[in-house]
């Protein structure tokens, strides 16, 4: 089957940089996505990596190493509004459209 | 529509009753997903549709759960003989064919009393 591991909670200071790691086990890997979910809200898509390396989108970057079954989300210049849960998700066994989510990392940004 | 729409937004039902949850995906999106999220937990995969067919139903927790999609659009998740452990937020998402970005609805909060 598929499994993903993320830290359950991370706390960081406003203006700082934080990295949220994700390790996964799957067969038939197609890509790794990241989603953000504010309390009471719906998950929203942040980024997707199908190939090794770093993808940058504004203050957010995502990295993938397929050989290590590992990825991370990097948030720079943290803002209070970045306080949310962050989920990694893998496309794997079951077809490229089956997306399995990790348990999520709750990020708290403090002043 | 402009986004993924789910109804009802909240549902309180008595244990043992059947419930139907509805999802209207973004027009033209061929892939549709159902997930379940318990309070403070991750997203548990239930089922996904490619068009009207469901290649993977492995996430459905029991035979009390079923889902269908008609016309490549609207999907209904049915839970029969609800139990208290079914209480959760049920999220629907849709995406274009091979596009990795999935768009989520606001979910249906189901409470079984």
């Amino acid at each position: 089957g598929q499994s993903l591991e993320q830290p359950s909670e991370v706390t960081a200071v406003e203006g700082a940089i934080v990295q949220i790691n994700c390790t996964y086990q799957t067969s038939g890997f197609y890509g790794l996505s990241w989603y953000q979910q504010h309390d009471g809200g719906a998950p929203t898509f942040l980024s997707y990596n199908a190939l090794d390396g770093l993808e940058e989108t504004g203050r957010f970057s995502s990295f993938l190493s397929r050989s290590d079954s590992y990825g991370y989300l990097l948030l720079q210049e943290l803002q209070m509004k970045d306080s949310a849960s962050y989920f990694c998700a893998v496309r794997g066994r079951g077809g490229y459209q089956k997306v399995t989510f990790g348990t999520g990392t709750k990020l708290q940004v403090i002043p | 529509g402009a986004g993924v729409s789910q109804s009802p937004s909240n549902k309180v039902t008595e244990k043992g009753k059947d419930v139907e949850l509805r999802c209207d995906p973004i027009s033209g999106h061929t892939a549709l997903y159902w997930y379940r999220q318990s309070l403070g937990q991750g997203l548990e995969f239930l089922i996904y549709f490619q068009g009207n067919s469901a290649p993977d139903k492995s996430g459905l927790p029991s035979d009390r759960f079923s889902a269908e999609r008609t016309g490549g659009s609207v999907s209904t998740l049915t839970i029969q003989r609800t139990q208290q452990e079914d209480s959760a937020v049920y999220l629907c998402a849709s995406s274009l064919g091979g596009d990795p970005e999935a768009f989520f609805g606001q979910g249906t909060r189901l409470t079984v009393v």
Side-chain angles (χ1 to χ4, degrees):
Chain A
Q2 294 163 295
S3 67
L4 299 95
E5 287 192 15
Q6 307 177 232
S8 57
E9 295 182 354
V10 172
T11 300
V13 178
E14 188 177 16
I17 299 172
V18 71
Q19 178 174 312
I20 299 174
N21 298 320
C22 173
T23 57
Y24 59 87
Q25 289 185 323
T26 184
S27 55
F29 177 82
Y30 290 95
L32 188 72
S33 303
W34 288 91
Y35 285 79
Q36 178 191 62
Q37 185 181 33
H38 287 98
D39 284 348
T44 57
F45 175 84
L46 292 176
S47 67
Y48 178 73
N49 295 68
L51 302 175
D52 291 351
L54 191 69
E55 294 281 343
E56 298 182 61
T57 308
R59 294 188 297 113
F60 294 0
S61 302
S62 57
F63 172 83
L64 175 66
S65 169
R66 288 175 296 172
S67 60
D68 295 323
S69 297
Y70 164 76
Y72 67 72
L73 180 69
L74 192 73
L75 296 80
Q76 303 182 70
E77 301 172 16
L78 280 173
Q79 302 176 9
M80 299 300 291
K81 67 179 181 179
D82 296 330
S83 293
S85 291
Y86 293 83
F87 295 89
C88 58
V90 64
R91 285 185 163 192
R93 185 178 181 181
Y96 70 95
Q97 292 192 32
K98 178 177 179 179
V99 181
T100 302
F101 282 76
T103 52
T105 298
K106 190 169 183 65
L107 170 64
Q108 182 180 13
V109 180
I110 58 176
Chain B
V4 178
S5 177
Q6 292 187 245
S7 60
S9 54
N10 281 283
K11 176 72 176 180
V12 180
T13 189
E14 291 182 352
K15 178 181 173 181
K17 300 285 189 183
D18 298 352
V19 294
E20 281 191 356
L21 312 181
R22 177 187 170 102
C23 173
D24 278 282
I26 293 173
S27 178
H29 281 193
T30 55
L32 185 148
Y33 312 82
W34 283 99
Y35 293 89
R36 178 168 71 174
Q37 187 173 35
S38 300
L39 187 64
Q41 301 299 308
L43 281 74
E44 176 188 3
F45 170 83
L46 297 178
I47 189 171
Y48 88 90
F49 290 90
Q50 174 58 33
N52 290 336
S53 64
D56 191 332
K57 303 179 182 179
S58 63
L60 295 176
S62 74
D63 59 7
R64 296 186 295 105
F65 287 72
S66 63
E68 65 174 13
R69 188 180 187 193
T70 56
S73 180
V74 172
S75 177
T76 303
L77 178 68
T78 302
I79 309 173
Q80 296 178 311
R81 305 181 302 282
T82 53
Q83 305 294 313
Q84 287 187 330
E85 60 262 30
D86 300 334
S87 296
V89 175
Y90 289 82
L91 289 162
C92 174
S94 70
S95 68
L96 283 169
D99 196 325
E101 181 174 1
F103 295 82
F104 281 81
Q106 290 299 312
T108 293
R109 182 176 299 278
L110 176 66
T111 304
V112 182
V113 298

